Amino acid sequence: MEYALSNDSISIKVSTAGGSFTSIEADGREYLWQGDPAVWSGQAPVCFPICGGLRDGSAMTFAGHHVKLARHGFARKQEWKLLSQNANELAMCLASEDNAALLSAYPYPFKLVARYTLEDAAVRVSYEVTNEGAEDMPFFIGGHPGFRCPLDEGESYTDYELRFEKDEAAELCTAVPSTGLIDVANRSKNPMVGKTLPLSHELFDFAETIFDVLESRQVTLSKKGEDKGVRLSFEGFPYLIVWSKPEGDFVAVEPWGGLSTCSDEDDVLEHKRGCLIAKPKETVVRSFTIEIL
């Protein structure tokens, strides 16, 4: 089921299937990738309780639990519930108490709320993760919004770029497509030109671009030489992934709290970069904002 929210500047739709966006529209223009099963059926999945993948799909925890999770976790594949809605905000909820089968893969009782709040021409996305159990809960949370590119007919993919807030490292970690994991020792040249990342389908021939050492907390997708587009602000997330498919007219700009298992990491969940710990009954919140320019 879809729920809609709008003001004078922006309209969004959010589905109980995955608990996330199916539309972000402003001035008659759709900004969100509308999905294509032949290319990528996703649109803006919620990554929980991991971002990326685990080595061989599994890990152990300090408490001795065996966690078995597919890439990006299970939240994006689940049916969520509408928790609340008013004129400017709606909240979706996924809780283990409603689906005990989730505990077989991730044995930590939890409640995850995705809250969508309209603020003029922007929507603020807040992920609220509550530990409903009696022991410390390790987890990761991240967003995966995919934006249409190009935005208008008659434009090409290469007309667009990502503008970063700050200069970034000259070298980035390397994705390993055969495993979905990350090589942090053998780094690759950052394809950015100054503070911009020119977009091309060829950029994604090999894999995603992973900013594992990130200075910026704001990135703008826009046409070269113009200001129209989308600005993503993600103060609470240390990592950013830029991904598409060579044949896809979209670019996913993904603020993550963690990364796929890296080459210098073991298989203990708490040892992974960015791992968050929620104490019993504690709620941890991470947010990002999508602003239409």
Side-chain angles (χ1 to χ4, degrees):
M1 182 177 293
E2 280 188 337
Y3 294 89
L5 202 61
S6 65
N7 60 20
D8 292 338
S9 302
I10 188 173
S11 300
I12 68 170
K13 293 180 181 177
V14 174
S15 176
T16 56
S20 192
F21 295 110
T22 57
S23 176
I24 303 173
E25 188 175 318
D27 296 324
R29 179 186 290 122
E30 178 62 64
Y31 286 83
L32 191 73
W33 164 251
Q34 288 302 288
D36 181 349
V39 181
W40 177 48
S41 60
Q43 292 184 271
V46 179
C47 301
F48 175 85
I50 59 169
C51 300
L54 300 173
R55 185 180 289 114
D56 298 323
S58 66
M60 296 298 295
T61 71
F62 285 169
H65 298 301
H66 186 205
V67 172
K68 294 195 69 174
L69 294 165
R71 190 168 184 84
H72 302 324
F74 48 65
R76 63 196 178 108
K77 299 289 189 181
Q78 301 302 313
E79 184 70 12
W80 295 48
K81 292 182 177 180
L82 178 68
L83 184 66
S84 64
Q85 182 173 9
N86 58 40
N88 296 308
E89 179 181 284
L90 65 83
M92 308 296 291
C93 180
L94 177 68
S96 57
E97 70 175 7
D98 298 323
N99 187 350
L102 299 178
L103 296 175
S104 62
Y106 178 69
Y108 293 93
F110 71 89
K111 179 181 179 181
L112 170 59
V113 174
R115 193 175 303 276
Y116 302 90
T117 307
L118 300 188
E119 301 172 349
D120 296 323
V123 53
R124 183 170 182 81
V125 183
S126 293
Y127 298 135
E128 305 166 5
V129 182
T130 301
N131 179 357
E132 300 284 8
E135 55 188 355
D136 288 359
M137 183 178 82
F139 72 94
F140 302 84
I141 188 75
H144 196 308
F147 300 106
R148 289 179 58 223
C149 185
L151 288 171
D152 294 320
E153 291 187 15
E155 298 175 339
S156 68
Y157 200 83
T158 53
D159 289 337
Y160 282 75
E161 64 187 6
L162 285 173
R163 300 173 190 164
F164 283 66
E165 177 188 19
K166 298 180 180 180
D167 292 320
E168 298 299 340
E171 294 184 330
L172 306 175
C173 62
T174 303
V176 184
S178 61
T179 63
L181 306 184
I182 295 175
D183 186 345
V184 294
N186 299 301
R187 305 183 74 80
S188 305
K189 183 180 182 299
N190 187 341
M192 290 175 62
V193 178
K195 294 181 181 179
T196 67
L197 177 63
L199 294 180
S200 68
H201 290 305
E202 290 75 20
L203 178 64
F204 305 105
D205 278 344
F206 175 70
E208 65 268 36
T209 301
I210 303 168
F211 292 87
D212 63 323
V213 180
L214 184 68
E215 298 297 327
S216 301
R217 287 297 179 271
Q218 189 177 90
V219 175
T220 301
L221 170 66
S222 64
K223 190 176 180 182
K224 295 173 183 176
E226 297 186 8
D227 291 329
K228 76 171 185 180
V230 182
R231 178 173 293 138
L232 187 73
S233 302
F234 47 97
E235 188 61 38
F237 295 86
Y239 308 110
L240 189 74
I241 312 299
V242 179
W243 172 78
S244 186
K245 289 195 171 183
E247 66 276 24
D249 286 335
F250 73 92
V251 59
V253 187
E254 311 165 32
W256 285 7
L259 295 171
S260 295
T261 301
C262 296
S263 54
D264 62 349
E265 294 176 337
D266 59 20
D267 297 318
V268 176
L269 201 64
E270 289 90 339
H271 288 167
K272 283 174 47 57
R273 286 166 172 78
C275 185
L276 295 170
I277 304 294
K279 297 292 184 181
K281 308 309 176 185
E282 179 185 10
T283 298
V284 177
V285 181
R286 291 293 184 271
S287 303
F288 64 91
T289 299
I290 298 170
E291 180 184 3
I292 305 302
L293 303 177

